[in-house]
Amino acid sequence: MAGPLPIGDPAPADGSLPGQSAIGASERTLHAYVHIPFCKVRCGYCDFNTYTASELEGAKQSAYTDVLIAEIKLSAQVIADAGLPKRKLSTVFFGGGTPTLLPASDLVKILAALRDAFEIAPGAEVTTEANPDTVNAEYLRELCDGGFNRVSFGMQSAVPLVLATLERTHNPANVAVGVAAAKELGLRTSVDLIYGAPGETLDEWRQSVIAAIEMQPDHISAYALIVEDGTKLARQIKSGLLEEPDEDLQADKYELADLLFAEAGFDWYEVSNWSRGEQNASAHNISYWASQDWWGYGPGAHSHFGGVRWWNVKHPTAYASKLADGNSPAAGRETLSHRTRLEERILLEIRIREGLEVDLAKQVNAEASKLIAGFIADELVDAKAAIGGVLKLTLKGRLLADSLVRQLLAD
Ligand SMILES: C[S@@+](CC[C@H](N)C(=O)[O-])C[C@H]1O[C@@H](n2cnc3c(N)ncnc32)[C@H](O)[C@@H]1O
Ligand code: SF4
C-alpha cells in the first residue's frame, strides 16, 4: 500500500482475470480487504494511501460507500467469469486510512454488499481498524449488529510526548475506553503499538506495553517505526530536528515487549504479532502469509489470486471515475513467476512461528545448507527444528529476520 504503485503490465478495462488465477483455486480460501482512504490529519510517520479532506480533489467521502459497492459488484462478476469456484469469504478486513471516519452504517452497508456478493463463511473473522477518537459504544454496537466481530485500535503509544512526536492526535485515554466497550459487546480486540519514535526511552516503551496489556485485548501488534521516504518524519530526521531510531535500542524494546507479552499470556505468532492463544491470531493476516486469494477493494488496494497480482489506481478521484465509467479500477497487474512466488513465501514464512521449510530455502539458494548451519551456530534458528527440516526463528533470529531473508535470497 505504501509508496508508489508497482509498474507491472496493463490491466484490462473490464478487470477480467487470466486463466492462471483459477488454477488450484478450490484449495485456496477467499478473503476481502476494504480500504478506506480517509484521515482527519496525516500522522508524521505515515505513507499509507490516505487523504485528508483538503487532499481529496473533489472525491467525496460521503459518496465513497457506493463507489466501493460498485467495485464489489464488479468483483463478483469478474470472479464468476474467470470460472473460479464459488467460495464464501473466510475473512474480511476494513483498513485505512481510518475506516471509522465513515458512519458505522456505511461500514455495515459495505459489509452487507460483500455478503450479498459472496456470502460470509460461518465463524469468519470480520475486522475493522479504528482510531480511538472516532468510536464510542453506540458506534461499536452498530458494527457488532451489522456483522463485525473484531476491532483493531491504533494505540501506538500510551505516552503523550511520544504520541506528540508521532503527530498522533488521539486522546490516549480513549484507547482503553474503546477496548472496554468493544469487549463488553463481545467483539474481539487488538491494539497496534509502534516502538522507536525519536526520543522514546526504554521506560516510556515499557509504559506503553504495560498499558496495552492492562487493557486485556486478544491480540497486540508491535511495529518498529519505519522512517518512510517522503514523510514529514523523514524530513525532520534529515534536517536534524529529530534523531533517527537507534538500532540497539530498538532491539532492546523488542525483547522487552516480547518478555512482557509472554508473561501476560500473549504468544508471538509472527515477528510483529502476539495473541492470547492461537484462536486469537489474526486469520486475515495469516491468509496473506499463506498466499490465499484476496480481493483488495478501494484506491491503491492490491489483490492476489493464484499468483496473479493487481493493484488499483491510487487516488480516490481516479478510482471513482473508473468505476463510474463501468470500468475496472485496476491500474496494473503481474503474473508472478515460480521464482518470485518462492521468494515471497520465504520472506513471509520465515517470520511466522510455524517457520519455513528448509526445502523451500534450498530451492532458491544452492548454498542454503551452509547458510543454515551458520544460522544454527549463531543461534538465530532453533537447531532441533532446523535439523528436522523447518527454520523457526529464535528471539535473536526474530530481531534479524530481514537479514536472514536477504542472505537466503542473495544467490
Ligand atoms: C495504516 S494504519 C491504519 C490504522 C489507523 N489509521 C491508525 O493509524 O490508527 C495501520 C497500522 O500501521 C502502523 N504503521 C503505520 N505507519 C507505520 C510506520 N511508518 N512504521 C511502523 N508502523 C506503522 C501503525 O501501527 C498503524 O496502527
Ligand atoms: S491515522 Fe493511521 S492511516 Fe491515518 S495518517 Fe495516521 S497512521 Fe496513517
Side-chain angles (χ1 to χ4, degrees):
M1 193 74 52
L5 290 173
I7 312 261
D9 303 322
D14 62 1
S16 57
L17 295 175
Q20 181 177 327
S21 60
I23 299 172
S26 54
E27 274 109 63
R28 298 190 300 268
T29 46
L30 180 66
H31 306 262
Y33 170 77
V34 180
H35 189 63
I36 311 290
F38 310 118
C39 285
K40 224 179 216 155
V41 287
R42 179 179 285 276
C43 309
Y45 57 88
C46 179
D47 85 333
F48 276 67
N49 190 35
T50 187
Y51 301 82
T52 58
S54 66
E55 296 166 342
L56 279 173
E57 293 169 15
K60 283 207 176 65
Q61 208 169 293
S62 56
Y64 185 64
T65 298
D66 289 336
V67 182
L68 264 181
I69 290 173
E71 190 186 359
I72 291 171
K73 288 185 176 153
L74 175 98
S75 70
Q77 193 60 49
V78 166
I79 288 174
D81 290 350
L84 284 146
K86 238 184 159 358
R87 290 171 294 175
K88 295 180 183 174
L89 288 166
S90 292
T91 65
V92 181
F93 191 99
F94 284 56
T98 310
T100 48
L101 266 189
L102 295 184
S105 55
D106 280 8
L107 301 189
V108 167
K109 194 171 159 193
I110 298 161
L111 183 60
L114 285 169
R115 194 179 292 115
D116 286 349
F118 300 104
E119 293 187 56
I120 294 177
E125 177 187 283
V126 182
T127 307
T128 183
E129 288 180 339
N131 182 306
D133 276 351
T134 55
V135 296
N136 56 27
E138 196 40 51
Y139 188 100
L140 292 170
R141 176 180 299 283
E142 212 173 325
L143 292 186
C144 190
D145 290 347
F148 286 81
N149 53 31
R150 189 169 177 274
V151 185
S152 173
F153 291 90
M155 172 179 176
Q156 322 309 354
S157 170
V159 179
L161 194 63
V162 174
L163 288 170
T165 307
L166 291 172
E167 302 199 326
R168 291 289 300 191
T169 55
H170 73 260
N171 174 358
N174 282 345
V175 184
V177 174
V179 171
K183 283 163 71 92
E184 182 79 26
L185 288 159
L187 292 161
R188 287 161 65 203
T189 51
S190 178
V191 296
D192 284 353
L193 292 171
I194 291 183
Y195 57 98
E200 182 191 54
T201 63
L202 190 60
D203 199 53
E204 285 169 334
W205 172 239
R206 186 195 318 269
Q207 288 174 45
S208 294
V209 170
I210 290 173
I213 290 171
E214 282 175 349
M215 291 172 205
Q216 300 201 344
D218 303 298
H219 182 280
I220 301 178
S221 302
Y223 302 111
L225 177 69
I226 300 170
V227 181
E228 303 279 7
D229 283 348
T231 57
K232 185 169 171 194
L233 176 69
R235 289 193 293 279
Q236 288 168 319
I237 289 176
K238 206 165 163 211
S239 70
L241 203 65
L242 292 175
E243 67 202 40
E244 205 159 346
D246 174 86
E247 270 185 34
D248 291 338
L249 184 57
Q250 288 293 72
D252 291 346
K253 287 177 180 171
Y254 184 88
E255 286 184 3
L256 176 67
D258 188 63
L259 178 76
L260 295 174
F261 290 152
E263 280 176 5
F266 290 87
D267 301 319
W268 80 283
Y269 68 96
E270 194 270 349
V271 170
S272 306
N273 290 283
W274 290 258
S275 70
R276 287 206 284 177
E278 263 175 47
Q279 72 280 12
N280 283 313
S282 161
H284 188 78
N285 280 347
I286 290 170
S287 76
Y288 292 148
W289 304 328
S291 301
Q292 303 293 358
D293 288 353
W294 68 86
W295 193 295
Y297 299 91
H302 286 231
S303 304
H304 169 268
F305 275 67
V308 179
R309 187 161 55 191
W310 71 95
W311 45 90
N312 286 347
V313 291
K314 224 175 153 181
H315 198 281
T317 310
Y319 171 77
S321 99
K322 288 248 185 195
L323 283 158
D325 292 343
N327 289 326
S328 155
R333 79 173 180 205
E334 60 188 346
T335 300
L336 303 176
S337 66
H338 179 64
R339 167 90 194 182
T340 309
R341 290 183 84 178
L342 272 180
E343 289 181 355
E344 294 206 340
R345 282 188 63 186
I346 287 171
L347 199 91
L348 298 170
E349 291 176 23
I350 201 160
R351 295 173 61 89
I352 58 178
R353 193 185 180 97
E354 284 71 27
L356 166 73
E357 285 185 18
V358 169
D359 277 352
L360 279 187
K362 286 186 180 162
Q363 286 180 47
V364 294
N365 192 326
E367 303 284 307
S369 298
K370 214 157 95 193
L371 282 172
I372 291 166
F375 296 162
I376 295 173
D378 292 339
E379 298 179 348
L380 298 172
V381 296
D382 182 288
K384 209 167 144 206
I387 292 161
V390 186
L391 294 183
K392 294 188 181 196
L393 296 177
T394 58
L395 175 57
K396 191 173 164 197
R398 279 188 266 156
L399 290 165
L400 295 170
D402 292 344
S403 155
L404 267 68
V405 168
R406 271 196 302 276
Q407 292 177 60
L408 288 172
L409 297 185
D411 192 31

